Structures are given as structure tokens and as C-alpha cells.
Amino acid sequence: MNGKTPHIVQYQGSKRILAPQILQYMPKRFDRLVEPFSGMAAISIAVAKDKRADRFLINDINLPLVKLLETAIETPSVLIDKYAKLWNEQFNYGDNHAQHFYEVRERFNSGDDSPENMLYLLARCVKGSVRYGKDGKFNQSPDKRRHGTNPKNIHANVSAVSFLLKGKCSFSSADYKEVFERTRSGDLVYMDPPYQGVTNARDNRYLSGVPFDEFAAAIEVLNRKGVDYLVSYDGECGGKEYGDELPRELGCKKILLNAGLSSQATLLGKRETTFEALYISRNLLPYVDAVLHRSRMMEFAT
């Protein structure tokens, strides 16, 4: 991809930085990209920018997140204006601007999960990191050192994303297994389920977990339907592996993507590289061979 791929707002766990590596293993053209665990839809945005597909199914169990994406993509000016008004309100609180965040969070948790409220919480909270309590309520704190993403930047970001995806998407907030059943020939499914290390129990980063055995069994639906897919699922850092590998019976190829230096290790005074695993379905294996061939040719040239 040429140039910088846009994003709406900082979102912890986004695959935006890894997108160029992930797209290497996709066909140059396909009918529709399906994201059952979309988050902020970083891969859909990257695929649209690279003009690999013209249709997209964006799904996430987090309904307010899906509503935010749909508004940003289909009616960007509405979101931009409402966000700017909400963002500017915090300056009425003087030095206690964090109180404004808590009030918006309370409104959100009381049922006002409007797109502008969701966007403001993401733009203003610590590290753009979604956190939910056991009661399912958003409980992340504000970053008290800053005021969140400036409306001018939101305007540029949202407008760029809308330009790429407007009129090309369908949106849903369904269980991922239901999304698998809705796939069809010509689809490419990209999956970034909740971090495997916490998926067997309730975790405050996600509205719901995805048990390993259940997920592995569900992928068989895609194999039976002949639908191609890629899965970001486990990884390693500092020689330590995180999560179990998907069963060999699925016929996937596992590739490790360089995700850069571990921020957690850096805080501890260590320099450790994080690698995230990407599983590639059997019909896409020729793309693995092509990437490896290009890599060997580049090494030979140098």
C-alpha cells in the first residue's frame, strides 16, 4: 500500500500497523471482506485503500462500536459535528476536565451509547483502550494528561475512512458463528478474536470471550463452505509463546508477523520483539509461497 492508511481513532489492539504484512497473504482481488471481530475495522480500511475488494461485512459483538463505525462511514459529517460539540464541552470544566469524561461515561453506561459518546470515550481514555467491568459497563479511566483527539484530526480521519468505505459496507452485531453461516463463495474472512490467553474466562477487555475449542470447531464451517480466511490468534515474545496453536486438522499455515518491540518489556528495561501469529487457510497457501519467494529474492539481491 502506498501512503498512510487512515484510522478513526487510536484503538488498542488494532491491526493497523500489521495490515501491510497481513495483506501480503490475501488475493489481489476478491468479492467481499468479512470481519467477524472488527474492532475499529483496521483491516477493512486497509483492504479498501488497496482496492482489493468492493464489499465489506463489518461485525462486532460490541454494538456501540459497530454503530460508531456505521455513522463514521455512512454519515461522517453528523459524527464529526456531534463529536466536536462534545469535545469542546470539557473546557467548561476548567482544570477538572476529567469530570466531563466521567459524566459522559455515566451517560453511556446508562444507555446513551450514541456514536459520539463512544468515540469521545475512545479518544479520551487511557491508551485508546476499551475496558468493561463484570457488569458489562465501560470502566476505563480518562487520560488526565491530555484532552483527547482534537476535532480537526477526527474530521480528517473520519472523512478519509468514509471516502474509502461509504456505500460498500453492511454492518451487524452478531455472534461470530452466525457470521460464519452468512459467508459465501468469494468471501475472504479476516478474524482477530479476543486475545487467546483470556478467552476461556470473562475478561474486562471484551464484552465476551471466545473459548478456544469452540472457535476451532466453528472454523470448520468455513472449510466446509470453501471460504478462505486468515486468523490473528497467538504469538510469542522473548522466546515465550502465548496461546495454543490452532489444530493441524484445519489445514492452516502459521506465519509469524513482526509486531515490533514489546512496550511492556521496554518498560522493564528489556528489548524484546513481539511476534503475532497469522493462520492462513489452505486455499491461500500459494500466497505464502509467493511471499517467501520474494523474501528469498530480496536476500539474494543484497
Side-chain angles (χ1 to χ4, degrees):
M1 291 179 293
N2 297 318
K4 197 171 182 180
T5 301
H7 68 296
I8 294 174
V9 72
Q10 180 186 8
Y11 188 78
Q12 192 175 72
S14 168
K15 290 298 184 287
R16 182 170 64 98
I17 302 301
L18 283 176
Q21 295 186 62
I22 293 171
L23 263 63
Q24 290 184 97
Y25 302 102
M26 294 183 179
K28 290 296 183 182
R29 287 288 300 174
F30 50 93
D31 293 342
R32 182 176 67 159
L33 179 72
V34 177
E35 283 204 79
F37 309 93
S38 73
M40 287 300 284
I43 299 301
S44 287
I45 295 168
V47 165
K49 183 176 183 297
D50 216 33
K51 299 179 180 178
R52 297 191 181 222
D54 295 321
R55 303 298 302 172
F56 301 83
L57 195 169
I58 294 174
N59 179 87
D60 198 283
I61 198 66
N62 187 338
L63 179 58
L65 206 59
V66 174
K67 289 165 64 176
L68 166 58
L69 287 167
E70 184 170 10
T71 305
I73 291 167
E74 302 300 341
T75 55
S77 60
V78 172
L79 178 62
I80 290 165
D81 290 345
K82 289 184 176 181
Y83 173 82
K85 180 180 179 181
L86 186 60
W87 186 85
N88 281 304
E89 284 177 0
Q90 67 184 302
F91 297 101
N92 297 329
Y93 290 68
D95 293 336
N96 194 26
H97 51 83
Q99 181 60 31
H100 179 254
F101 174 92
Y102 289 118
E103 291 178 9
V104 174
R105 191 180 74 178
E106 178 59 30
R107 292 203 299 268
F108 180 85
N109 286 331
S110 297
D112 184 3
D113 58 356
S114 60
E116 63 270 20
N117 282 347
M118 179 84 263
L119 178 57
Y120 178 75
L121 293 176
L122 288 175
R124 188 74 172 74
C125 73
V126 176
K127 297 180 181 178
S129 176
V130 174
R131 293 288 187 273
Y132 293 92
K134 293 181 179 179
D135 57 1
K137 293 184 177 181
F138 190 101
N139 65 0
Q140 182 61 291
S141 301
D143 185 338
K144 297 179 180 179
R145 300 168 300 174
R146 60 188 187 91
H147 294 97
T149 310
N150 189 287
K152 291 182 180 178
N153 294 330
I154 289 293
H155 184 285
N157 295 348
V158 170
S159 297
V161 170
S162 178
F163 176 79
L164 292 173
L165 288 170
K166 187 174 183 178
K168 301 176 181 179
C169 303
S170 57
F171 302 88
S172 62
S173 182
D175 182 86
Y176 72 95
K177 294 188 292 296
E178 180 182 327
V179 176
F180 286 3
E181 294 293 347
R182 287 156 52 193
T183 59
R184 56 181 185 253
S185 177
D187 285 344
L188 178 61
V189 181
Y190 171 73
M191 293 170 272
D192 183 20
Y195 173 56
Q196 190 184 157
V198 298
T199 52
N200 290 320
R202 184 70 170 83
D203 179 75
N204 66 353
R205 284 175 287 186
Y206 307 101
L207 289 173
S208 62
V210 179
F212 175 83
D213 291 341
E214 175 188 291
F215 180 61
I219 292 176
E220 279 291 0
V221 172
L222 300 179
N223 280 342
R224 288 198 302 270
K225 297 175 75 171
V227 174
D228 299 330
Y229 57 88
L230 302 99
V231 188
S232 294
Y233 205 42
D234 55 63
E236 60 183 61
C237 181
K240 182 177 181 180
E241 296 184 358
Y242 296 91
D244 296 325
E245 294 191 352
L246 288 176
R248 291 179 180 272
E249 300 80 61
L250 292 174
C252 300
K253 175 73 174 179
K254 179 179 178 180
I255 298 292
L256 291 177
L257 307 179
N258 188 329
L261 291 176
S262 165
S263 56
Q264 185 63 36
T266 300
L267 289 173
L268 298 174
K270 303 177 182 178
R271 287 182 62 84
E272 296 177 346
T273 300
T274 299
F275 292 92
E276 294 193 14
L278 182 71
Y279 290 86
I280 302 163
S281 62
R282 58 173 68 99
N283 289 340
L284 297 176
L285 296 186
Y287 296 96
V288 177
D289 295 335
V291 171
L292 293 176
H293 176 72
R294 287 197 299 269
S295 177
R296 286 193 294 267
M297 291 298 291
M298 291 176 65
E299 291 178 2
F300 179 77
T302 56

